[in-house]
């Protein structure tokens, strides 16, 4: 145990929730896991006080402890567990995998033993590798009186990928078989309605076993709600092949060739994966220097100065793995200019006028040029788009997810 935050001396173990993550190390996945803690706090607040036990890697726990909301009348306890990653060396990799799988099995059995003792309301699995999901499903099924909630993240795309690699095919196999053999005491949480619909269809599942919530985001209120010169069109996060990020360069060039280039500025707020994307225009500012990731403070500062978020997703990329760029657009309430894509279309259906949904790249160019020209038919929608994004972002907050999970687990 590395830290305990106690805001309630109650030891009513029947009101406990256990959360486990034996994958994430360091400062990754903080938004998701801090949101899961908030979800657990909200679930326990329905009955007053309670206790949350979170098991994870020590450095990850240390940061989560600083982010935790300790105002709620809940006892919050962080327990450090060993999280191992296989060795990169091909010779040592097989040996390290064997050690990892053994240690993971021992760890889970110990946590399940603790769950048997305190009988929590829920045992939540935040992140787990596909092979472990399959291996541990039998253990979960055998504890019929324990309610398990398992979050499924980007690993789901391995089930649906049209041309998977051998490794992806193996991972998809284990996830698919694990989901199919899950007992009625195990429910899966996915991060969009479309993912739930497709998972139920493909695996012929009982829809009640899959709970759909919006991917959690942190609460935020946008301060920059007016368009100013120049209008900043930004690509959020790492620019790479999967995001189709290369399109920002011809887009910037198209505006430069118009008579209104002084009214527009293009930026990549993040680094470029240069082995995948080559800088192809002098008209795009890259905020990352020396190929390094920018700090979170700088990232937020640049986002607050931007006016529109450019989304170039296409095909089945980021359909079953939620795009961080898209989530940041919602969280920071930046109107979106995007190509038609399943994830984007779903957002527009939920949020209404939250930007411009373009059928192809030519239409996207025309939208950006009209905005640069200050066409009132486009620019006059800006304040409304931000208001709608604020309303949409509230649907992604932990409280909303808690209500969905609470209602779904009553049946």
């Amino acid at each position: 145990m590395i830290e305990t935050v106690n805001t309630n001396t109650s030891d009513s173990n029947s009101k406990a929730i256990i959360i486990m993550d034996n994958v994430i190390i360091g400062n990754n996945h903080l938004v998701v896991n801090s949101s899961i803690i908030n979800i657990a706090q909200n679930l326990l607040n329905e009955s007053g006080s309670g206790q949350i036990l979170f098991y994870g890697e020590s450095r990850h726990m240390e940061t989560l402890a600083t982010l935790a909301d300790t105002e709620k009348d809940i006892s919050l306890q962080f327990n450090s567990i060993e999280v191992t990653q296989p060795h990169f060396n091909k010779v040592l990799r097989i040996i390290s995998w064997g050690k990892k799988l053994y240690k993971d099995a021992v760890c889970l059995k110990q946590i399940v033993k603790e769950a048997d003792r305190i009988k929590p309301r829920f045992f939540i699995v935040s992140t787990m590798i596909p092979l472990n999901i399959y291996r541990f499903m039998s253990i979960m099924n055998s504890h019929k009186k324990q309610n398990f909630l398992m979050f499924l993240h980007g690993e789901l795309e391995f089930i649906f990928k049209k041309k998977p690699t051998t490794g992806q095919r193996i991972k998809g196999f284990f996830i698919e078989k694990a989901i199919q053999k899950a007992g009625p005491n195990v429910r899966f949480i996915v991060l969009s309605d479309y993912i739930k619909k497709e998972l139920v269809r493909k695996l012929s599942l009982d829809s009640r076993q899959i709970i759909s919530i919006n991917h959690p985001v942190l609460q935020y209120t946008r301060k920059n709600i007016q368009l100013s010169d120049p209008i900043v069109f930004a690509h959020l996060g790492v620019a790479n092949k999967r995001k189709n990020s290369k399109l920002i360069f011809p887009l910037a060039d198209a505006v430069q060739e118009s008579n209104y280039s002084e009214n527009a500025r293009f930026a990549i707020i993040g680094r470029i994966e240069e082995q995948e994307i080559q800088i192809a225009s002098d008209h795009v500012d890259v905020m990352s220097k020396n190929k390094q990731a920018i700090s979170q403070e700088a990232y937020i500062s640049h986002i607050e100065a931007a006016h529109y978020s450019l989304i170039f997703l296409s095909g089945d990329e980021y359909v079953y793995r939620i795009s961080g760029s898209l989530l940041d657009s919602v969280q920071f309430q930046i109107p979106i200019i995007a190509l038609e894509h399943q994830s984007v279309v779903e957002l527009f259906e939920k949020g209404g006028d939250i930007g411009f949904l373009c059928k192809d790249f030519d239409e996207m160019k025309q939208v950006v040029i009209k905005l640069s020209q200050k066409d009132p038919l486009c620019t006059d929608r800006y304040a409304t788009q931000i208001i709608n994004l604020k309303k949409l972002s509230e649907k992604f907050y932990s409280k909303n997810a808690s209500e969905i999970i609470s209602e779904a687990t009553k049946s």
Side-chain angles (χ1 to χ4, degrees):
M1 183 186 304
I2 65 167
E3 182 164 351
T4 302
V5 181
N6 286 310
T7 59
N8 179 5
T9 57
S10 169
D11 59 357
S12 176
N13 289 331
S14 62
K15 298 177 182 177
I17 290 179
I18 286 179
I19 306 171
M20 183 190 73
D21 189 319
N22 77 328
V23 173
I24 301 303
I25 293 176
N27 291 332
N28 297 310
H29 234 233
L30 289 172
V31 170
V32 171
N33 279 342
S34 60
S35 296
I36 290 175
I37 290 174
N38 287 336
I39 289 170
Q41 289 172 324
N42 291 330
L43 290 170
L44 290 177
N45 274 337
E46 295 174 354
S47 55
S49 60
Q51 179 186 33
I52 296 172
L53 293 87
F54 199 120
Y55 293 85
E57 188 262 344
S58 60
R59 289 175 298 158
H60 188 63
M61 295 295 94
E62 288 168 0
T63 307
L64 276 180
T66 66
L67 297 175
D69 180 359
T70 60
E71 298 301 316
K72 293 183 171 69
D73 193 24
I74 302 293
S75 169
L76 181 55
Q77 179 175 303
F78 293 96
N79 302 279
S80 176
I81 60 175
E82 183 177 0
V83 177
T84 57
Q85 291 184 330
H87 204 282
F88 288 108
N89 182 283
K90 291 183 179 179
V91 176
L92 299 176
R93 192 168 179 80
I94 295 176
I95 298 174
S96 63
W97 259 109
K99 290 181 178 179
K100 172 182 172 54
L101 295 176
Y102 171 75
K103 290 179 179 179
D104 287 351
V106 171
C107 178
L108 182 77
K109 288 176 182 177
Q110 290 174 341
I111 299 173
V112 170
K113 185 176 180 180
E114 178 67 5
D116 289 340
R117 185 182 71 81
I118 68 173
K119 297 178 173 55
R121 178 181 174 188
F122 294 113
F123 188 127
I124 300 176
V125 179
S126 172
T127 317
M128 183 176 282
I129 65 171
L131 179 55
N132 277 344
I133 294 175
Y134 178 79
R135 293 167 70 216
F136 297 154
M137 193 56 64
S138 296
I139 297 176
M140 296 178 193
N141 288 344
S142 67
H143 289 72
K144 293 181 170 33
K145 294 183 179 180
Q146 176 63 63
N147 289 313
F148 289 91
L149 298 175
M150 176 169 286
F151 278 79
L152 296 176
H153 304 279
E155 61 269 11
L156 277 175
E157 72 178 359
F158 301 138
I159 296 178
F160 297 95
K161 207 165 184 64
K162 293 178 181 177
K163 296 180 179 180
T165 64
T166 300
Q168 291 170 342
R169 187 178 294 109
I170 292 171
K171 292 174 183 177
F173 169 83
F174 284 125
I175 296 169
E176 185 172 333
K177 295 303 179 184
I179 294 172
Q180 289 175 327
K181 77 173 186 175
N185 61 318
V186 182
R187 301 196 187 202
F188 299 94
I189 298 176
V190 298
L191 301 177
S192 84
D193 295 337
Y194 178 80
I195 293 174
K196 173 179 177 175
K197 182 184 73 173
E198 288 300 292
L199 199 58
V200 169
R201 177 192 62 79
K202 183 174 178 64
L203 302 185
S204 301
L205 302 173
D206 183 340
S207 63
R208 292 172 297 181
Q209 202 160 5
I210 310 295
I211 301 171
S212 169
I213 65 172
N214 292 310
H215 192 298
V217 301
L218 301 180
Q219 295 189 32
Y220 176 87
T221 299
R222 185 166 177 80
K223 302 179 182 66
N224 180 16
I225 60 173
Q226 300 295 327
L227 283 175
S228 56
D229 289 330
I231 297 176
V232 180
F233 302 93
H235 176 293
L236 308 188
V238 177
N240 58 28
K241 184 177 180 180
R242 290 194 67 189
K243 294 180 183 177
N244 214 15
S245 306
K246 64 182 181 181
L247 290 181
I248 191 173
F249 300 114
L251 182 62
D253 288 344
V255 175
Q256 186 66 24
E257 293 169 2
S258 72
N259 296 324
Y260 300 91
S261 59
E262 70 278 3
N263 297 338
R265 175 171 166 254
F266 293 82
I268 294 175
I269 306 178
R271 63 181 176 84
I272 294 180
E273 291 186 356
E274 292 189 3
Q275 69 275 22
E276 298 182 8
I277 301 292
Q278 299 299 316
I279 297 177
S281 174
D282 295 329
H283 307 126
V284 178
D285 297 326
V286 181
M287 299 308 171
S288 169
K289 304 302 180 186
N290 301 318
K291 305 178 184 179
Q292 299 298 311
I294 62 177
S295 69
Q296 185 67 7
E297 293 77 12
Y299 182 68
I300 293 174
S301 176
H302 289 307
I303 284 179
E304 288 175 338
H307 298 100
Y308 290 97
S309 171
L310 299 171
I311 303 293
F312 304 107
L313 300 178
S314 64
D316 60 356
E317 295 288 2
Y318 290 101
V319 172
Y320 303 100
R321 181 188 296 273
I322 308 302
S323 165
S325 301
L326 203 52
L327 286 174
D328 286 345
S329 304
V330 174
Q331 176 177 328
F332 295 102
Q333 296 135 46
I334 310 177
I336 298 165
I337 302 174
L339 299 175
E340 287 186 356
H341 178 270
Q342 176 57 47
S343 298
V344 181
V345 169
E346 188 171 346
L347 276 187
F348 274 76
E349 289 174 349
K350 291 178 179 178
D353 183 8
I354 56 173
F356 301 89
L357 190 58
C358 307
K359 68 178 183 295
D360 54 32
F361 186 61
D362 285 337
E363 183 177 346
M364 177 180 275
K365 285 192 292 186
Q366 292 306 312
V367 166
V368 173
I369 289 173
K370 286 181 180 179
L371 287 168
S372 302
Q373 293 171 341
K374 305 293 180 64
D375 184 336
L377 292 177
C378 295
T379 57
D380 287 356
R381 295 163 55 183
Y382 192 70
T384 299
Q385 289 168 343
I386 291 178
I387 292 171
N388 289 341
L389 278 164
K390 175 62 176 175
K391 293 177 181 177
L392 177 62
S393 69
E394 291 171 356
K395 298 178 182 179
F396 287 67
Y397 294 164
S398 300
K399 186 176 186 300
N400 184 271
S402 307
E403 293 170 353
I404 293 172
I405 292 171
S406 178
E407 186 63 31
T409 52
K410 288 178 182 176
S411 59

